[in-house]
Amino acid sequence: KSDSLDASHSSRVVVCVGDLAKPALGMNTEEFSALCREIDAVIHCAAYVNFLCDYKTARHANVLGTQTILNLATSHHIKPVHYISSIAVMPDAIGDSR
């Protein structure tokens, strides 16, 4: 079993780099609108993870960023959002041996 994406599907996946703490993920209006029109699904696995920071510090990226992702998923046409917990994909980093 391989953890990488099958080559036959790799042309269908596009990684979009953005800043969760900024409006429209840091994109200009035209870029964000084009993304809303062109994508068919969202795989969201980004977050600001710091167990020592307070809510106010993480709010822009984690709360408002998720709100922006949901806006992206509901603009132009409805797209499914697949959320991946950053903690769940790295259990060894937090001492979880599941």
Side-chain angles (χ1 to χ4, degrees):
K1 178 184 168 191
S2 172
D3 289 335
S4 62
L5 185 65
D6 184 288
S8 66
H9 298 294
S10 63
S11 65
R12 298 177 56 200
V13 176
V14 177
V15 175
C16 178
V17 178
D19 187 338
L20 288 173
K22 294 182 179 177
L25 305 175
M27 299 176 202
N28 66 42
T29 304
E30 293 161 0
E31 291 170 323
F32 191 77
S33 293
L35 195 61
C36 290
R37 287 190 311 274
E38 295 171 9
I39 65 172
D40 296 315
V42 176
I43 301 172
H44 175 42
C45 56
Y48 175 75
V49 179
N50 182 335
F51 295 111
L52 301 178
C53 76
D54 61 359
Y55 172 78
K56 184 178 177 182
T57 303
R59 181 177 183 270
H60 285 286
N62 295 346
V63 177
L64 302 180
T66 299
Q67 191 174 34
T68 300
I69 294 294
L70 295 174
N71 182 33
L72 171 70
T74 57
S75 295
H76 193 269
H77 62 282
I78 302 296
K79 304 158 228 22
V81 175
H82 305 278
Y83 175 76
I84 302 170
S85 168
S86 54
I87 294 172
V89 299
M90 306 235 2
D92 293 339
I94 60 169
D96 190 347
S97 60
R98 284 184 249 176

